[in-house]
């Protein structure tokens, strides 16, 4: 055998070739894993970008939808209140068609009386203490007391 053949089949040479082949396989598998990882990372990034775009695209319409639903609820409440007021006004209109109701209102609010009736006005006796002929307890007309009160209120320190 020639010396080159011996080197080719020697243990050191075989180990060297075997190591190179293993290193090449490891390198190939690492590049495949990295390629697979980078593809998954790219896909994940694309998916994240699409999801963010959808969220941004749908955020404004959803906000408008929620806002409009609130407006609709408010308008329905106003409609219900208006319907209740219309019903109250219809009742009041029906009552105003009754002559007895009108007479009662005239007596209560306008102090009206029928011919032949005698009206009485009752005053509180304690309300008139200290007054005689439009003058207060001081003996001065009421309007002078009023202006004195206005002048006192205008002064600082009172």
């Amino acid at each position: 055998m020639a010396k080159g053949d011996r080197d080719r089949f020697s243990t050191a040479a075989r180990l060297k070739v075997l190591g190179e082949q293993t290193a090449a396989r490891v390198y190939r598998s690492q590049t495949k894993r990295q390629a697979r990882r980078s593809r998954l990372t790219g896909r994940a990034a694309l998916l994240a970008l699409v999801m963010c775009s959808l969220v941004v695209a749908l955020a404004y319409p959803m906000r408008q939808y929620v806002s409009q639903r609130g407006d609709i609820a408010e308008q329905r409440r106003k409609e219900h209140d208006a319907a209740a007021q219309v019903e109250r006004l219809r009742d009041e209109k029906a009552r105003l068609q009754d002559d007895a109701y009108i007479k009662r209102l005239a007596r209560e609010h306008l102090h009206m009386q029928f011919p032949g009736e005698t009206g009485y006005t009752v005053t509180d006796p304690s309300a008139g203490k200290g007054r005689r002929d439009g003058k207060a307890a001081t003996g001065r007309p009421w309007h002078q007391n009023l202006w004195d009160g206005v002048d006192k209120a205008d002064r600082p320190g009172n």
Side-chain angles (χ1 to χ4, degrees):
M1 256 192 188
K3 186 179 174 184
D5 286 338
R6 243 185 294 154
D7 285 342
R8 200 169 112 199
F9 293 110
S10 73
T11 304
R14 276 187 277 158
L15 285 174
K16 182 179 176 187
V17 169
L18 187 62
E20 289 172 356
Q21 289 174 350
T22 304
R25 264 189 257 131
V26 167
Y27 177 74
R28 277 195 306 260
S29 70
Q30 284 178 351
T31 56
K32 283 182 185 178
R33 264 190 248 126
Q34 287 174 350
R36 204 175 311 129
R37 261 192 236 130
S38 65
R39 262 187 298 172
L40 289 177
T41 304
R43 285 181 189 166
L46 181 63
L47 180 63
L49 181 65
V50 168
M51 292 301 291
C52 289
S53 299
L54 284 174
V55 166
V56 168
L58 293 176
Y60 183 72
M62 285 303 294
R63 186 172 62 98
Q64 289 295 326
Y65 174 77
V66 170
S67 173
Q68 289 173 356
R69 294 301 297 175
D71 292 344
I72 289 170
E74 177 69 19
Q75 291 301 321
R76 285 187 179 150
R77 186 190 60 76
K78 285 181 180 179
E79 176 189 11
H80 182 266
D81 292 346
Q85 183 179 7
V86 165
E87 190 61 33
R88 282 192 304 272
L89 291 173
R90 282 188 182 147
D91 290 344
E92 181 69 19
K93 181 181 177 185
R95 281 191 303 241
L96 289 173
Q97 301 299 321
D98 184 19
D99 288 337
Y101 182 71
I102 297 294
K103 289 176 187 177
R104 190 184 73 162
L105 288 179
R107 286 176 180 265
E108 287 175 6
H109 297 289
L110 303 175
H111 304 288
M112 294 184 69
Q113 301 162 0
F114 286 109
E117 291 181 345
T118 304
Y120 294 99
T121 304
V122 179
T123 58
D124 184 11
S126 64
K129 282 188 179 176
R131 294 180 180 249
R132 51 185 186 271
D133 299 330
K135 295 183 179 181
T138 60
R140 299 172 47 188
W142 65 269
H143 55 84
Q144 286 182 349
N145 291 331
L146 175 70
W147 286 117
D148 286 344
V150 171
D151 288 338
K152 286 180 185 176
D154 194 31
R155 287 187 213 127
N158 285 348

